[in-house]
Amino acid sequence: MGRGMRLAVFVLCLPAVGIVGTAVSGCGGSSAGATTARFIGGDAVPAKPAAPIRLTDYRGHEVELAALKGKPVLVAFLYTHCTDLCPVVAAKVHTAYSLLGAHEVHPVFLAVSVDPANDTAASATRFNREHRTTGEIDWLLGSHAELARVWRAWRIVPEREPNDPEVIEHSADIYGVGADGEVHVLYSPDFKPALLARDIQALAAD
């Protein structure tokens, strides 16, 4: 798969935020009732508080997930040198944002680096420029120790491919965090942008 991100079936996505659900395709699980009906773009899960994130973004600003309460937030674990799946996710996010009306709520998208050795402010800026996600994807960077604390909190396990060290295997899901600070839905990389755009308003209402 070149220098991109692989979908690793061993990655445990749901326990990342203490969520327990019935595993269906990928890492999500659909729960019954009103919660499922509200989210049509991903796999609804029993709401649980999002694990903490406190890092510096690629523009040098400190970002704390808890401080974003009141806004819908999308959280993903990506890396800037990925050449296959990460750009696909970025393109879909860009399309979803373009479908939102001027008066609709726009979510904060936090991309937590899984490649501290190579992700830099310059590479994040270049990625956003090349994929038209400037102002849409906020890359969170840091040292291995700083990022590892977040990985552990979300139970993300980045691993380099033994036969190709430039390939990093890790979860490719996007976590939908509502305005209440809880994770309500998971989006696999094959999500449909139009459905994500519709879900964002439901996340904003939580």
Side-chain angles (χ1 to χ4, degrees):
M1 298 184 69
R3 298 180 59 190
M5 172 173 53
R6 295 185 179 179
L7 281 174
V9 296
F10 61 83
V11 174
L12 304 178
C13 296
L14 293 181
V17 285
I19 296 170
V20 178
T22 302
V24 289
S25 60
C27 299
S30 294
S31 59
T35 299
T36 301
R38 289 190 301 121
F39 299 108
I40 59 176
D43 293 322
V45 295
K48 292 290 183 180
I53 296 176
R54 186 176 182 180
L55 292 166
T56 302
D57 72 9
Y58 73 110
R59 296 166 298 180
H61 302 146
E62 183 176 277
V63 175
E64 186 170 6
L65 180 56
L68 296 174
K69 193 170 182 178
K71 303 177 182 179
V73 181
L74 302 176
V75 178
F77 294 81
L78 309 173
Y79 64 107
T80 62
H81 294 84
C82 172
T83 58
D84 50 21
L85 194 54
C86 295
V88 170
V89 170
K92 288 186 174 186
V93 168
H94 176 71
T95 299
Y97 277 45
S98 70
L99 294 173
L100 294 173
H103 300 292
E104 291 183 291
V105 176
H106 286 60
V108 177
F109 191 108
L110 302 179
V112 180
S113 168
V114 294
D115 187 12
N118 297 301
D119 284 345
T120 64
S123 68
T125 299
R126 182 170 58 252
F127 182 100
N128 280 348
R129 183 177 63 249
E130 292 176 351
H131 301 290
R132 300 182 297 168
T133 50
T134 300
E136 297 174 352
I137 295 181
D138 193 6
W139 288 89
L140 303 186
L141 312 176
S143 67
H144 188 279
E146 291 169 334
L147 290 167
R149 283 195 292 269
V150 177
W151 302 338
R152 286 193 296 269
W154 289 73
R155 296 193 183 177
I156 299 298
V157 187
E159 292 187 355
R160 292 193 179 275
E161 170 61 44
N163 298 323
D164 187 350
E166 293 185 335
V167 174
I168 300 176
E169 295 181 347
H170 61 97
S171 169
D173 287 303
I174 299 173
Y175 297 82
V177 181
D180 57 1
E182 298 192 339
V183 176
H184 291 270
V185 61
L186 292 172
Y187 300 94
S188 61
D190 62 354
F191 72 90
K192 297 185 183 304
L195 299 185
L196 174 62
R198 290 180 60 182
D199 280 359
I200 286 168
Q201 304 313 306
L203 287 170
D206 279 310

